[in-house]
């Protein structure tokens, strides 16, 4: 990452989490709090005016909840990065937010350093998800996998290596080291994978690959 400070908008219907997020972002050298919104409709207006690099968004909000807001926001700003910000460890909530196009998921019990790592990972397209939630999410994905013939998307052997590494939760840096590639080459392969699988982030790519049989739980 360069020395740019990335602009973060906090969206939550409760003032306590908004205040906590503001305080944690205030100690970061790479992230900058630029504003907050107490509702989904306010968030849409705030994104128009503040143009944040990333939106930290609550899942459960009245009127427009997190998935509804994320869907509406991304329809207007397709390149926006959204990270779910919640107390919920429900796999249903995580999957709903990821299907709405969120780049990652972070729990509200994290400290400043972990929040910063998650948000920077999302800015690097690394789809941060709490490790303790991954087994349940993968189980849910596997249970709901339709009987689709494998190979409905054609990935190169190198793209499959990258995809399997992504499924194991490896970062771009780790993938580059394991595959003897430069990090920009890994990012190029990731973009190709996303395009072929019609995915917007790593979590969605792994979910789609599981559904169509490109990878199995043994690859995880």
């Amino acid at each position: 990452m360069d020395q740019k400070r990335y602009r973060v908008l906090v969206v939550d219907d409760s003032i306590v989490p908004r205040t906590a997020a503001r305080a944690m972002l205030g100690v970061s050298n790479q992230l900058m709090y630029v504003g907050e919104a107490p509702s989904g409709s306010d968030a849409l207006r705030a994104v128009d005016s503040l143009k944040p690099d990333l939106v930290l968004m609550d899942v459960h909000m009245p009127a427009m909840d997190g998935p509804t807001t994320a869907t509406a926001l991304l329809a207007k700003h397709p390149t926006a990065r959204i990270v779910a910000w919640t107390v919920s460890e429900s796999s249903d909530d995580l999957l709903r937010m990821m299907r709405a196009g969120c780049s990652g998921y972070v729990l509200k019990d994290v400290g400043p350093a972990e929040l910063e790592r998650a948000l920077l990972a999302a800015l690097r397209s690394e789809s941060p998800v709490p490790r303790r939630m991954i087994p349940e999410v993968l189980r849910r994905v596997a249970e709901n996998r339709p009987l689709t013939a494998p190979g409905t998307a054609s990935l190169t052997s190198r793209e499959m290596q990258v995809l399997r590494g992504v499924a194991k939760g490896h970062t771009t840096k780790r993938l580059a080291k394991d595959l003897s590639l430069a990090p920009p080459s890994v990012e190029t392969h990731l973009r190709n994978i996303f395009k072929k699988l019609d995915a917007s982030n790593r979590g969605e790519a792994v979910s789609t690959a599981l559904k169509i049989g490109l990878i199995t739980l043994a690859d995880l």
Side-chain angles (χ1 to χ4, degrees), residues 131-204:
R131 288 185 181 275
R132 62 181 183 260
M133 294 182 67
I134 290 174
E136 171 64 13
V137 171
L138 293 176
R139 183 186 67 78
R140 286 289 311 282
V141 170
E143 286 177 353
N144 289 290
R145 186 178 64 202
L147 297 176
T148 307
T152 52
S154 179
L155 270 62
T156 67
S157 59
R158 181 64 89 183
E159 287 166 355
M160 284 299 303
Q161 289 177 318
V162 172
L163 177 62
R164 290 191 180 100
V166 168
K168 290 180 171 65
H170 295 169
T171 64
T172 296
K173 184 177 180 181
R174 169 71 182 275
L175 288 167
K177 180 179 178 181
D178 289 351
L179 301 176
S180 299
L181 294 171
S185 296
V186 173
E187 293 293 338
T188 297
H189 287 307
L190 282 170
R191 286 193 294 272
N192 291 337
I193 291 168
F194 293 167
K195 182 177 180 180
K196 290 179 179 181
L197 297 181
D198 192 24
S200 59
N201 55 56
R202 294 184 180 212
E204 192 174 317

Side-chain angles (χ1 to χ4, degrees), residues 23 53 82 94 100 120 138 190 211:
D53 297 297
I82 303 171
L94 188 153
L120 292 175
L138 293 176
L190 282 170
K211 288 177 182 177

Side-chain angles (χ1 to χ4, degrees), residues 2-34:
D2 56 30
Q3 295 305 307
K4 173 183 176 180
R5 294 194 70 192
Y6 295 90
R7 299 164 59 82
V8 181
L9 170 70
V10 179
V11 181
D12 200 298
D13 63 306
S14 173
I15 192 171
V16 174
R18 297 201 308 267
T19 302
R22 184 194 315 157
M24 287 192 282
L25 291 168
V27 301
S28 172
N29 292 323
Q30 291 185 272
L31 301 168
M32 178 172 60
Y33 165 91
V34 294

